[in-house]
Amino acid sequence: GAPFTAKIHTDPNHIVVSGQCLAATAVGKPSFFTLSNVSGNIEDIEVAIDSPSGEEVSAQVQDLGSGTFKAEFCPKIAGEHQIYISFREEQVPGSPFACKVYNVTAIKVRECVKGIVGKPVTFLVETSHAGPGNLEVTVNN
């Protein structure tokens, strides 16, 4: 008989997670990623982020409408963070995501002696507390 109510269950494999911050972001910078193609509500989504020290980083999930959600977080330490995303207690494809969190203010130049024009100069760039990433050095006149 009518009306007929059908329960539709979204398969977590159809959810698309995207955003630059899933791969890398800076310490202290509000960062976000989006979940799209979601047939459900905010209570169905769980985001857990573990820092390298084992502490959990809080994440706020916001409903943007039309099956799209935004998750925002702000990492406090450098290093690889694990981002776990689940929908109705099932991990979405790609979860956990490895997010490389870096801290450019932790890069220090050491042992830099005064240079002489035409002679090589050696210096040490200390990055051990800056987190993962690629270092690029540019020398200007």
Side-chain angles (χ1 to χ4, degrees):
F4 178 74
T5 304
K7 289 192 178 184
I8 308 288
H9 295 283
T10 298
D11 181 354
N13 295 315
H14 291 103
I15 295 174
V16 177
V17 183
S18 60
Q20 224 177 338
C21 295
L22 284 170
T25 193
V27 167
K29 176 186 174 193
S31 307
F32 70 92
F33 53 89
T34 57
L35 293 90
S36 50
N37 203 28
V38 179
S39 295
N41 57 43
I42 202 161
E43 288 81 23
D44 296 326
I45 298 169
E46 185 180 341
V47 175
I49 303 172
D50 292 337
S51 73
S53 68
E55 290 182 43
E56 192 170 325
V57 177
S58 68
Q60 295 75 40
V61 179
Q62 179 183 2
D63 188 345
L64 301 178
S66 302
T68 304
F69 294 81
K70 173 181 169 182
E72 189 170 336
F73 65 103
C74 188
K76 299 192 181 356
I77 64 169
E80 190 170 281
H81 289 55
Q82 295 297 313
I83 302 175
Y84 298 88
I85 305 167
S86 58
F87 177 78
R88 295 188 179 145
E89 300 180 9
E90 272 190 65
Q91 295 290 311
V92 301
S95 178
F97 297 88
C99 176
K100 294 177 179 166
V101 178
Y102 55 88
N103 183 356
V104 294
T105 63
I107 298 171
K108 306 291 180 207
V109 177
R110 306 218 188 275
E111 300 175 21
C112 187
V113 294
K114 201 166 197 165
I116 298 172
V117 175
K119 301 282 183 185
V121 174
T122 305
F123 56 92
L124 175 70
V125 180
E126 176 64 52
T127 62
S128 62
H129 300 293
N134 297 320
L135 177 66
E136 187 176 303
V137 177
T138 304
V139 179
N140 296 321
N141 294 343

